[in-house]
Amino acid sequence: MQMPLIGNKRICSMVNSMVKNRRIPHAILIEGEEGLGKSTLSRYIAKAALCDNENPPCDECKTCHLIDVGSHPDFQVVEPDGAQIKVAQIRELRVEAFLSPMSAGGRVFVISAAHTMNDSAQNAFLKVLEEPPANVTFILLAKSASLMLETIRSRCVIFSLSPVSFDEPDAISKVMALAGVTNAEAQTLLVSTDGNIGRAVNASKNETIFLSGVASNLLALAAAKDRLGILNCLQPYVKEKNKVTELIIELKSAIAREIKKKAMKEISSFTAEKLNFCYTELTNIQSKLDFNPSIPLVFCYIAAVLTA
Ligand SMILES: [Zn+2]
């Protein structure tokens, strides 16, 4: 199976060499904000540790499938009970960790949102880290390693996940596949979510967030006077007149925000005249949409206005 984590080249090669040499550390801390691939990476490592195949992880055997659906007896995910992971959950985990594994590969415990453990839960967990049972891998997922006690951090191999770059082809393909969008839309989603694949996929499901991302992207292209880029960005909506209307509304609110920024003397890539001109022209275009104009022509006009 191919490493499912996108970008993060150094981490991917470290994990792959750990897997190849069968030297998976007993405590791993994966840090990064929501959507960067913490769970994806933890499942890959769990499969690598427990897979029945000769070259793990195969992603085809029963073990790999059971890990995917979260029902392998030697793979456990601890989730917060309410807002926190409570000390009682960690005590339970400590007992479980010393039970013999059902399979040959040992056991893997993933602690999701490990940063929600309070100090007493973290201290309880520390006890099992100090004298870890054989053949057990603990994978802690946290928003930030700095939210964990230093005594825990120092006993873990830490992987810090980063966002991907907007033009990373693998990232674009992944967003296209998961969100069912076009190449240009996937790029827009990645730009508007700062290269966070998980958030990009989520944003695709929310039309308003999605279109407001497209609008910000259009403004960035306008600042760069990239007329062709603007046309490419608009292209996916050529057959969707309804979305064109919504998009123009989003674009006008993005411009209105810039006008406000200008008024507050904040930095903007545009002059006040240009912003007002764009706003007025977009309002004109918006009113003409009722007369069924040719959408490609409308797009050319928008591109001309934005780059004027
Ligand atoms: Zn397998």
Side-chain angles (χ1 to χ4, degrees), residues 47 50-53 55-65:
K47 285 179 188 172
L50 304 178
C51 173
D52 304 322
N53 210 294
N55 291 310
C58 71
D59 212 25
E60 281 163 8
C61 68
K62 196 175 164 203
T63 298
C64 287
H65 284 174

Side-chain angles (χ1 to χ4, degrees), residues 74-286:
D74 293 327
F75 171 71
Q76 282 204 32
V77 181
V78 181
E79 306 259 11
D81 174 8
Q84 282 190 334
I85 292 180
K86 300 191 168 121
V87 69
Q89 290 175 277
I90 299 300
R91 290 205 185 103
E92 230 170 87
L93 176 148
R94 261 161 52 190
V95 175
E96 292 243 8
F98 284 93
L99 300 177
S100 322
M102 309 282 257
S103 56
R107 313 193 81 187
V108 177
F109 292 89
V110 172
I111 306 184
S112 226
H115 56 271
T116 66
M117 286 194 269
N118 59 22
D119 281 3
S120 55
Q122 290 200 44
N123 279 315
F125 183 67
L126 185 61
K127 282 192 190 141
V128 75
L129 270 193
E130 281 167 342
E131 288 171 62
N135 284 329
V136 169
T137 303
F138 295 106
I139 307 177
L140 288 83
L141 315 182
K143 224 191 276 181
S144 160
S146 65
L147 298 168
M148 309 301 301
L149 294 179
E150 166 57 25
T151 39
I152 288 188
R153 281 204 305 265
S154 63
R155 284 173 172 80
C156 294
V157 171
I158 300 179
F159 295 132
S160 307
L161 301 187
S162 310
V164 296
S165 63
F166 311 141
D167 49 2
E168 165 89 52
D170 288 345
I172 295 170
S173 314
K174 185 143 188 172
V175 174
M176 284 170 74
L178 293 177
V181 295
T182 64
N183 187 299
E185 287 172 325
Q187 286 199 46
T188 299
L189 285 165
L190 284 168
V191 171
S192 63
T193 55
D194 299 319
N196 182 315
I197 295 176
R199 275 177 37 217
V201 172
N202 276 337
S204 75
K205 293 173 192 145
N206 183 325
E207 195 74 7
T208 312
I209 295 181
F210 184 55
L211 288 179
S212 102
V214 176
S216 317
N217 197 19
L218 284 170
L219 269 197
L221 292 163
K225 297 220 179 258
D226 183 354
R227 193 178 293 217
L228 192 62
I230 292 174
L231 288 172
N232 281 336
C233 187
L234 291 169
Q235 186 55 33
Y237 308 100
V238 76
K239 291 203 169 87
E240 302 186 72
K241 205 189 117 195
N242 283 346
K243 280 197 190 162
V244 174
T245 310
E246 281 177 52
L247 185 54
I248 291 176
I249 294 170
E250 285 300 331
L251 194 51
K252 280 172 68 185
S253 30
I255 291 170
R257 282 196 297 274
E258 284 294 315
I259 292 176
K260 207 167 166 190
K261 261 165 81 180
K262 223 42 211 188
M264 309 283 284
K265 307 239 180 294
E266 285 177 40
I267 296 168
S268 164
S269 320
F270 306 95
T271 63
E273 291 75 24
K274 159 99 188 202
L275 291 168
N276 286 317
F277 166 76
C278 287
Y279 195 91
T280 314
E281 287 304 312
L282 286 169
T283 310
N284 283 336
I285 297 172
Q286 201 182 348

